[in-house]
Amino acid sequence: MGTTEGSPTGQYAFVVVSNRLPVDHVIDDDGNDAWTRSPGGLVTALEPVMKANHGAWVGWVGQADVDLAPFDNDGIHIVPVPLSADEVENYYEGFSNDTLWPLYHDVISAPGYHRVWWDSYVLANERFARAAAASAARGAVVWVQDYQLQLVPKMLRELRPDLTIGFFNHIPFPPYGIYSQLPWRTQIIEGLLGADVIGFQRVADSSNFLRAVRRLTGFVTRAPIVEVPVEGGAPRSVVARFFPISIDAKSFEDLARLPEVQARAQEIRDGLGNPKTVMLGVDRLDYTKGIGHRLKAFGELLAEGKLSVEDVTLVQVANPSRERVAAYMQLRDEIELTVGRINGDFGTISHQAISYHHHGYPREEMVALYLAADVMLVTSLRDGMNLVAKEYCAARFDNDGVLILSEFTGAWDELKRSLRINPHDIDGLKDAILQAVNMPRAERASRMRALRKRVLEFDVQRWSTEFLAVLVAQGKRSRG
Ligand code: GDG
């Protein structure tokens, strides 16, 4: 890595670094390059900070071998980082999505440990770090996002010691007994400790991280602080604590209040043959989400005659995801086989058991689905937060609807008036489904009011404001 003297200084006081840029490349009607802003919560939360602080966003455009010059897009300076087809395969699909993702989600699927993947991860992280270093003004605040970029904080600190560096991990941080499998476990910990503040979703994640720090480096920790020794100087303090992420709650409620979205919700119910109960699952098609467990519970309830397809329909949106990774291809086959079996066994000419959709929808349609659903099923086996659970509550301004929520999600720490389930306990899951289907209106309302209060108060704006306040304070403490 280079040194301070060698690295150029950019002009941006606030820089976000994430694997993917918040814009998608499209070709417009005249055949020219154009950009559409992806409407994720992170972008919405950071947009005001970006605009007020002359912000830049460093990330990959999502296509291999596309090298574009930086450009401005609606008040944000966009800095594309190119990735070759090899890097997409090794750094992204390989090390990020087939090593770190399964390892950090309790090895639900077996992680692959391949040295070529790791080498590519190091090189790609270096490229992101250099692009961030070249964009950041002297003393700027840089916020690095997620598990694909865990080496960036250290690399960036070596290039630019003047920067205040934050990192947020969107996925869980595993217990040491699992984390210690990783052949490069010490390098990742050292990479993260380059930051001033390391944010996690849950208290359990930050404690797991602090334990890994103690075991692998021997550095002293006094939660939430890690004292990182500095050669010939006083130790540097790093804050590692939880900052649960949230959603732009008001925008979901605003959409739900639109008459056309409500009309669409009714149309969805009509289209399903107006069953008494509509149950809904919305997930990326990922093995962490427990879709198979949910289908098993529903299938058994139908088989036992405790539910009937005339009364209950399950709508399952399975958003296509990581389709080139083998574990995901296999998962898709398993889920679709199960859906086909359940529909074949229990469906009638007029009533399907499961209405299954392997595609993504516009946000308005998602909100219409939330409004149409009497019961929302979140059955993750492990999930950093799970934003879908929060979106469902935000949309339900009518104080109706029942949220069934896995205790293995970050959201469970906040949404305690949901129906808590352990997705591995199929009988418990079936009981919760029956309880939800039969819950009296007054109980639904009282639970939903409490859930909504939490989600509307602790929104993504608050999350980013709190993280950045701690980060800036920590930066001042360390660098005056
Ligand atoms: C990771 C962590 C953590 C889904 N289908 C459609 C669609 N979505 C949107 C949802 C929601 C988002 O995608 C999914 O967020 P989740 O939090 O549920 O899950 P991951 O994708 O795994 O996210 C997770 C999150 O990062 C944030 O830190 O909570 O734990 O795994 O917003 O609404 N959106 C649209 N159409 C779809 O078909 N428009």
Side-chain angles (χ1 to χ4, degrees), residues 11-28:
Q11 49 175 316
Y12 296 92
F14 179 55
V15 179
V16 173
V17 193
S18 64
N19 174 62
R20 272 291 266 119
L21 282 168
V23 291
D24 287 319
H25 181 220
V26 290
I27 304 290
D28 69 13

Side-chain angles (χ1 to χ4, degrees), residues 371-403:
L371 284 179
D374 305 288
V375 179
M376 182 79 215
L377 281 162
V378 176
T379 58
S380 312
L381 307 177
R382 187 53 79 193
D383 214 330
M385 176 53 60
N386 195 285
L387 298 180
V388 167
K390 292 188 170 180
E391 290 167 4
Y392 180 64
C393 301
R396 295 313 297 249
F397 67 90
D398 57 351
N399 290 320
D400 206 350
V402 183
L403 174 64

Side-chain angles (χ1 to χ4, degrees), residues 17-25 35 38 42 57-63 91-92 128 145 148-149:
V17 193
S18 64
N19 174 62
R20 272 291 266 119
L21 282 168
V23 291
D24 287 319
H25 181 220
W35 300 92
S38 20
L42 190 61
W57 199 309
V58 175
W60 175 46
V61 289
Q63 292 157 346
Y91 145 73
Y92 180 62
F128 282 90
Q145 307 288 328
Q148 303 92 349
L149 302 176

Side-chain angles (χ1 to χ4, degrees), residues 82-260:
L83 292 177
S84 68
D86 261 7
E87 285 168 336
V88 172
E89 193 179 324
N90 295 311
Y91 145 73
Y92 180 62
E93 293 169 343
F95 200 76
S96 298
N97 288 338
D98 217 7
T99 305
L100 293 172
W101 180 270
L103 181 74
Y104 282 32
H105 289 89
D106 293 352
V107 298
I108 298 166
S109 166
Y113 300 118
H114 302 295
R115 285 162 287 184
V116 280
W117 289 3
W118 165 253
D119 292 344
S120 183
Y121 185 80
V122 175
L123 282 179
N125 271 245
E126 246 165 39
R127 195 167 313 127
F128 282 90
R130 284 182 194 286
S135 307
R138 186 142 300 279
V141 170
V142 181
W143 192 359
V144 183
Q145 307 288 328
D146 227 356
Y147 64 103
Q148 303 92 349
L149 302 176
Q150 293 174 99
L151 303 177
V152 170
K154 176 172 187 232
M155 292 169 167
L156 197 50
R157 177 156 311 284
E158 283 172 3
L159 288 164
R160 293 285 306 274
D162 59 299
L163 300 177
T164 293
I165 303 169
F167 180 90
F168 186 76
N169 198 48
H170 290 253
I171 67 173
F173 195 90
Y176 186 69
I178 291 179
Y179 180 72
S180 56
Q181 285 186 12
L182 186 68
W184 307 279
R185 58 198 186 186
T186 307
Q187 290 94 314
I188 296 269
I189 295 289
E190 287 170 354
L192 289 169
L193 287 174
D196 294 289
V197 176
I198 308 170
F200 297 93
Q201 303 276 29
R202 308 180 86 166
V203 186
D205 300 320
S206 49
S207 343
N208 287 343
F209 172 75
L210 289 171
R211 174 135 192 267
V213 168
R214 287 192 297 272
R215 294 294 297 267
L216 294 168
T217 65
F219 297 166
V220 174
T221 69
R222 279 175 292 109
I225 304 286
V226 182
E227 299 286 358
V228 179
V230 174
E231 240 183 73
R236 198 168 57 79
S237 300
V238 176
V239 174
R241 50 158 274 201
F242 75 113
F243 295 87
I245 200 170
S246 194
I247 56 165
D248 184 15
K250 184 159 181 310
S251 77
F252 280 89
E253 169 156 357
D254 288 348
L255 271 181
R257 285 185 183 275
L258 292 176
E260 57 270 31

Side-chain angles (χ1 to χ4, degrees), residues 284-359:
R284 269 187 315 98
L285 186 43
D286 194 292
Y287 48 76
T288 59
K289 304 291 182 182
I291 302 172
H293 295 64
R294 178 184 319 171
L295 295 178
K296 189 174 180 59
F298 183 51
E300 287 190 12
L301 287 169
L302 291 172
E304 291 159 9
K306 292 186 176 144
L307 294 179
S308 81
V309 292
E310 280 76 26
D311 292 338
V312 182
T313 308
L314 169 61
V315 178
Q316 177 63 55
V317 174
N319 208 345
S321 183
R322 305 176 187 170
E323 291 184 286
R324 288 169 19 139
V325 177
Y328 287 75
M329 295 177 199
Q330 196 190 330
L331 174 77
R332 181 175 177 193
D333 288 346
E334 281 167 20
I335 296 296
E336 295 185 353
L337 181 74
T338 310
V339 168
R341 286 224 173 116
I342 293 177
N343 276 338
D345 285 345
F346 305 107
T348 64
I349 299 291
S350 47
H351 293 282
Q352 250 183 317
I354 302 167
S355 172
Y356 173 81
H357 310 274
H358 184 247
H359 37 242

